């Protein structure tokens, strides 16, 4: 429950369930001191092997990962899956991607319009998509790919699973900070046709707001000129999302118990900063 020392390495991870050269897993790294988060470098991994090697690097580090760490309790109990986090994840990860889609689609089909998806308690305050969604965005498939990597790496999954306490993973959601700073303006797209001047301006405004520390987290971001240009120019938003996750990890690292609520459901997990 202790607060992490200020010189700990911090990371923010923009994750994809199918990394490629065109759409890699993006990791922003830096440090925090006296309320200032310095973003020092970006790593991009176009294979799981490269990302797994990064996860294995010695601590101390605290990372914010942009994929869900848990499923809604209502879903797990309705399906009759094991009701502890580790056992439920082993069952979930034992399914194929098609089995995940089919199982969750059948669950939704049996429910009334307007209440198709089950939600976690964290979804409301975080404004996040249900972790069981398999399309738009496919966060369930990201969890299906990502959680086994965390378990294999032996990291501590804060509040959910013990591991190497010098390497700590927090669930992060970049949209939580982005909405606080620029409202519902869209700032990214993977589709060329949607990479508009309006989204470019939104990224510029978002980076400026981060540098000015205009979030309730009480942290300012420090960027080099080159890093600022890189974040604004990346129309996919992957690098900026990694930095947003880094800021959330920095906040969590400075809080008792990583800022997770005392009453957090140990099956569902919680998004840091929500």
């Amino acid at each position: 429950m202790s607060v992490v020392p200020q010189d700990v390495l911090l990371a923010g991870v923009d994750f994809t369930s199918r990394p490629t050269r065109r759409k890699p897993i993006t990791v922003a790294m830096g440090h925090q001191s006296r309320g200032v988060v310095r973003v020092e470098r970006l790593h991009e991994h176009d294979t799981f092997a490269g990302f797994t090697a990064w996860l294995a690097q010695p601590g101390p580090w605290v990372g914010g990962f942009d994929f869900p760490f848990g499923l809604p309790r209502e879903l797990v109990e309705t399906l009759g899956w094991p009701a502890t986090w580790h056992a439920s994840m082993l069952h979930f990860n034992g399914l194929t991607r098609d089995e995940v889609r089919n199982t969750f689609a059948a669950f939704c089909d049996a429910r009334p319009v307007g209440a198709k998806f089950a939600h976690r308690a964290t979804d409301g305050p975080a404004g996040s998509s249900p972790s069981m969604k398999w399309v738009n965005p496919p966060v369930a498939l990201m969890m299906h790919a990502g959680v086994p990597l965390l378990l294999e790496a032996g990291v501590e999954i804060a509040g959910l699973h013990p591991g190497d306490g010098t390497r700590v993973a927090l669930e992060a959601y970049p949209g939580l900070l982005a909405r606080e700073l620029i409202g519902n303006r869209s700032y990214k797209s993977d589709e060329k046709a949607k990479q508009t001047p309006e989204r470019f301006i939104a990224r510029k405004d978002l980076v400026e707001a981060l540098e000015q520390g205009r979030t309730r987290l009480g942290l300012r971001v420090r960027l080099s000129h080159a890093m600022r240009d890189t974040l604004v120019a990346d129309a996919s938003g992957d690098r900026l999302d990694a930095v947003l996750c880094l800021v959330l990890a920095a906040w969590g690292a400075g809080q008792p118990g990583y800022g997770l609520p005392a009453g957090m459901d140990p099956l569902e997990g919680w998004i840091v900063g929500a």
Side-chain angles (χ1 to χ4, degrees):
M1 293 293 287
S2 60
V3 176
V4 175
Q6 288 220 337
D7 61 351
V8 69
L9 181 64
L10 300 165
V13 179
D14 181 71
F15 191 76
T16 173
S17 61
R18 288 194 162 153
T20 62
R21 194 166 294 175
R22 185 172 172 273
K23 185 78 173 174
I25 298 169
T26 304
V27 183
M29 306 194 67
H31 290 84
Q32 180 199 167
S33 179
R34 298 179 182 177
V36 176
V37 180
R38 301 188 314 277
V39 183
E40 293 158 354
R41 57 194 183 278
L42 292 167
H43 294 297
E44 294 183 340
H45 304 280
D46 57 14
T47 65
F48 282 134
F51 180 62
T52 299
W54 176 83
L55 275 178
Q57 69 175 314
W61 57 256
V62 175
F65 294 75
D66 180 19
F67 59 84
F69 285 4
L71 290 164
R73 178 172 289 276
E74 181 184 7
L75 172 72
V76 171
E77 292 180 346
T78 300
L79 295 176
W81 290 2
T84 61
W85 182 84
H86 188 236
S88 72
M89 284 295 106
L90 291 180
H91 183 90
F92 172 63
N93 293 128
L95 302 176
T96 66
R97 289 166 68 102
D98 283 342
E99 287 171 334
V100 169
R101 291 188 193 97
N102 294 338
T103 300
F104 290 179
F107 173 91
C108 291
D109 288 345
R111 288 163 64 91
V113 175
K116 292 292 187 184
F117 292 97
H119 291 265
R120 295 185 294 165
T122 194
D123 289 340
S128 54
S129 295
S131 62
M132 66 172 293
K133 281 197 81 173
W134 62 95
V135 288
N136 300 325
V139 288
L141 301 183
M142 293 165 66
M143 175 169 48
H144 189 261
V147 166
L149 301 180
L150 298 180
L151 288 171
E152 287 164 18
V155 305
E156 177 180 337
I157 304 174
L160 295 173
H161 190 70
D164 176 2
T166 70
R167 296 176 295 138
V168 179
L170 303 172
E171 181 183 338
Y173 173 48
L176 176 64
L177 274 189
R179 269 198 308 275
E180 184 183 343
L181 294 173
I182 62 168
N184 290 324
R185 295 162 63 195
S186 177
Y187 61 95
K188 60 182 180 177
S189 179
D190 287 331
E191 298 179 41
K192 284 283 186 189
K194 295 182 179 179
Q195 295 174 353
T196 59
E198 290 78 11
R199 286 186 169 92
F200 176 86
I201 292 167
R203 288 194 300 280
K204 202 169 182 180
D205 291 346
L206 182 47
V207 168
E208 184 178 295
L210 285 169
E211 290 184 300
Q212 292 175 356
R214 298 208 303 259
T215 79
R216 63 193 160 77
L217 303 182
L219 297 171
R220 288 186 297 112
V221 171
R222 182 171 295 165
L223 304 165
S224 67
H225 291 301
M227 181 68 75
R228 185 185 302 114
D229 290 345
T230 294
L231 299 181
V232 173
D234 178 17
S236 71
D238 295 345
R239 293 166 178 168
L240 185 47
D241 281 350
V243 168
L244 290 165
C245 289
L246 169 65
V247 175
L248 287 162
W251 179 82
Q255 304 300 311
Y258 302 104
L260 302 176
M264 179 191 86
D265 188 324
L267 174 64
E268 293 188 344
W270 195 265
I271 293 169
V272 65

